[in-house]
Amino acid sequence: MSGKFTFTMIKPDAVNAGNAGAIIKMIQEAGFRIVAMKKTKLTQERAGEFYAVHSERPFYNDLCAYMSSGAIIPMILEKDNAVEDFRTLIGATDPTKAAVGTIRNLFAKSIEANAIHGSDSDENAQIEGNFFFAGTERF
Ligand code: GTP
Ligand code: MG
């Protein structure tokens, strides 16, 4: 049975391009409730921790440099079947393969600068939410 929460962050390319508002509007119109949200910036080291699962991949260093290059907007979201439904809303990792009308189809610039993150499991949603919001009150 899938859970009610997922974690997302709007990535530096989308924040820089001024697309955060449009993306948040799409998220809310798709039925997700924002439980927690802030604007912040990762250091290269914190980006490395967040994406530690990819540390053996060839793009890891570039990914960490990119993810620490500008402001991000992390959020915890609530909806039935949150993880799967959110992955559907954002579309495939590579924007050239993302379905028409998905967030990455509309806003991503490349496979790396792909506008938004979405947790891939209930367990990771919890870990990633705590990474940014541990000790923060949630509503
Ligand atoms: P996230 O929601 O950000 O975790 O993306 P994802 O689950 O769709 O993809 P994955 O976890 O496999 O990769 C994490 C991130 O690494 C992607 O969102 C991209 O920003 C980046 N990435 C993935 N594959 C590539 C690649 O082949 N080249 C480069 N440069 N970056 C990649
Ligand atoms: Mg992933």
Side-chain angles (χ1 to χ4, degrees):
M1 163 88 185
S2 351
K4 290 171 72 79
F5 297 95
T6 192
F7 170 81
T8 184
M9 69 186 148
I10 304 175
K11 296 184 178 185
D13 59 293
V15 175
N16 267 331
N19 290 326
I23 290 171
I24 291 167
K25 184 163 190 274
M26 281 183 71
I27 291 170
Q28 290 181 308
E29 286 178 351
F32 292 86
R33 194 178 72 80
I34 298 170
V35 175
M37 174 168 74
K38 64 183 169 186
K39 185 176 183 184
T40 184
K41 192 168 183 286
L42 288 167
T43 60
Q44 178 129 356
E45 192 187 10
R46 284 263 296 163
E49 265 178 65
F50 186 86
Y51 279 116
V53 62
H54 295 309
S55 60
E56 302 305 317
R57 308 273 285 272
F59 56 82
Y60 178 67
N61 285 340
D62 283 349
L63 175 62
C64 296
Y66 159 65
M67 285 303 300
S68 55
S69 68
I72 55 164
I73 300 178
M75 289 175 259
I76 295 171
L77 302 174
E78 180 177 14
K79 183 185 181 296
D80 287 342
N81 203 35
V83 166
E84 191 185 341
D85 285 1
F86 194 73
R87 298 280 298 190
T88 302
L89 178 66
I90 69 179
T93 310
D94 179 350
T96 66
K97 300 190 175 121
V100 172
T102 58
I103 292 175
R104 283 169 167 165
N105 167 250
L106 291 169
F107 298 109
K109 300 203 170 0
S110 68
I111 192 168
E112 179 177 86
N114 61 0
I116 193 156
H117 164 81
S119 299
D120 59 11
S121 66
D122 291 343
E123 187 193 3
N124 283 336
Q126 192 167 351
I127 292 167
E128 292 168 0
N130 286 333
F131 186 89
F132 284 97
F133 295 105
T136 308
E137 212 165 345
R138 296 170 194 188
F139 300 93

